[in-house]
Amino acid sequence: MDIKKAIQIYLDWKESHTTVAFKNYKIRLAQFEQFIGEATKLRSLTGDDVVAYHKKMEQFYSSATIAYSARILRNFFYFWHGRREVDFNPKEIIPIRFINPNKDIVTKDDFQEMNELLDENYYDDLKKKLVLHLLWDTGMRISELCDIEISHISKENEEGLRTAKVRSRKSMRYNLVVWGRQTNELLTKFLGIRICQDVATDKLLINIKTGKAYTSRSIQRWIKELADLAMLDKDITPHSFRHGKANYILDEGGSVRDVSAILRHVKPESSFHYMQLSTKRYLDVARKFVIA
């Protein structure tokens, strides 16, 4: 079997259970196919071919991208190793270790400065203001935000507040998210306009001109523009709000368990690295357990 056919079979299998990962895997595997040659036989490949490919990538890509590529190729070869179509052990493919630079987080002050730039009496500003509030209040992932549909939003409770069910693309499970009164007021105002729009999609955030849902790239662009206008000396992304939410929970006396619950982590251990978002907080905790 040649590598081109092997990749297509693998991608068909991948798409059957995870459409998001499928798109990323397709890009990386196409690059590997181009490097190795589409007519190359799958069984002839070895770990040395993968090493040579990643050596080539070092000329153009970051360590993080190369590590991601290694995980994809290891997954790909494990798939075919299980079907006894490759002879080498995929355990040979080891993602490189690298130091991840500290990521900028959004603080409450950052959020407020960006928020004050927007006037909710204008539709475009209202839309962006709602996005800011949802990101800050819930710590949701950008994919979860883009996927929210009107039908996922609950009716107002006795206090006039709503909640929503959002789906994690990692676990494919729906989880409940809650927000504060200010966010709820913005949502109510926005929904009054949104439900009057005659479009085919039920997505909450749509482009009026095209009638299609906004993509994550659009949200990323809005956040970058607002951060620049607020003159924040940080590399702010939508995910920075998620990190900021975790930091805020811990600063307000919450525990790592609270972070795990509110950010809806699939693996509880994912919450522990947030302890080091604040150097001061980490040192305060660490010093409790050293000999005086």
Side-chain angles (χ1 to χ4, degrees), residues 129-264:
K129 202 176 185 76
L130 176 61
V131 165
L132 282 182
H133 276 73
L134 286 172
L135 289 172
W136 174 255
D137 273 6
T138 69
M140 69 173 68
R141 301 176 180 89
I142 188 171
S143 59
E144 295 170 338
L145 177 62
C146 291
D147 284 347
I148 290 181
E149 298 184 0
I150 296 176
S151 59
H152 296 162
I153 301 171
S154 71
K155 295 180 180 179
E156 292 183 343
N157 62 16
E158 294 178 357
E159 298 178 347
L161 298 175
R162 294 183 175 88
T163 59
K165 289 285 186 70
V166 298
R167 187 182 68 177
S168 167
R169 293 182 181 178
K170 287 188 175 181
S171 66
M172 300 304 287
R173 295 184 302 184
Y174 281 93
N175 296 286
L176 188 69
V177 293
V178 299
W179 47 76
R181 191 167 296 281
Q182 287 185 347
T183 304
N184 199 69
E185 290 174 356
L186 289 170
L187 178 62
T188 299
K189 192 170 185 177
F190 181 80
L191 282 173
I193 301 171
R194 171 64 185 86
I195 60 178
C196 294
Q197 295 166 350
D198 185 18
V199 292
T201 179
D202 190 43
K203 293 288 177 63
L204 176 66
L205 299 171
I206 63 163
N207 186 325
I208 296 179
K209 295 180 179 179
T210 64
K212 297 180 180 179
Y214 281 110
T215 64
S216 57
R217 287 187 180 276
S218 296
I219 309 297
Q220 289 166 348
R221 187 176 66 253
W222 299 347
I223 297 302
K224 178 173 175 50
E225 289 172 352
L226 287 170
D228 288 343
L229 285 172
M231 293 186 289
L232 301 180
D233 188 21
K234 295 179 179 181
D235 183 19
I236 299 296
T237 69
H239 207 74
S240 303
F241 285 79
R242 187 169 174 82
H243 295 316
K245 183 67 175 182
N247 196 56
Y248 182 72
I249 292 168
L250 294 171
D251 278 347
E252 291 298 304
S255 66
V256 173
R257 189 183 296 269
D258 296 323
V259 172
S260 181
I262 293 173
L263 296 189
R264 306 166 300 284

Side-chain angles (χ1 to χ4, degrees), residues 29 32 45-54 66-79 81 86 88-96:
L29 288 171
F32 179 68
L45 295 175
T46 69
D48 293 337
D49 294 307
V50 177
V51 170
Y53 171 59
H54 288 145
I66 296 171
Y68 182 50
S69 172
R71 289 193 292 271
I72 291 174
L73 288 174
R74 185 170 59 180
N75 192 307
F76 169 74
F77 282 109
Y78 262 124
F79 174 84
H81 188 262
V86 293
F88 79 98
N89 192 334
K91 287 183 179 179
E92 292 182 28
I93 305 174
I94 303 174
I96 61 173

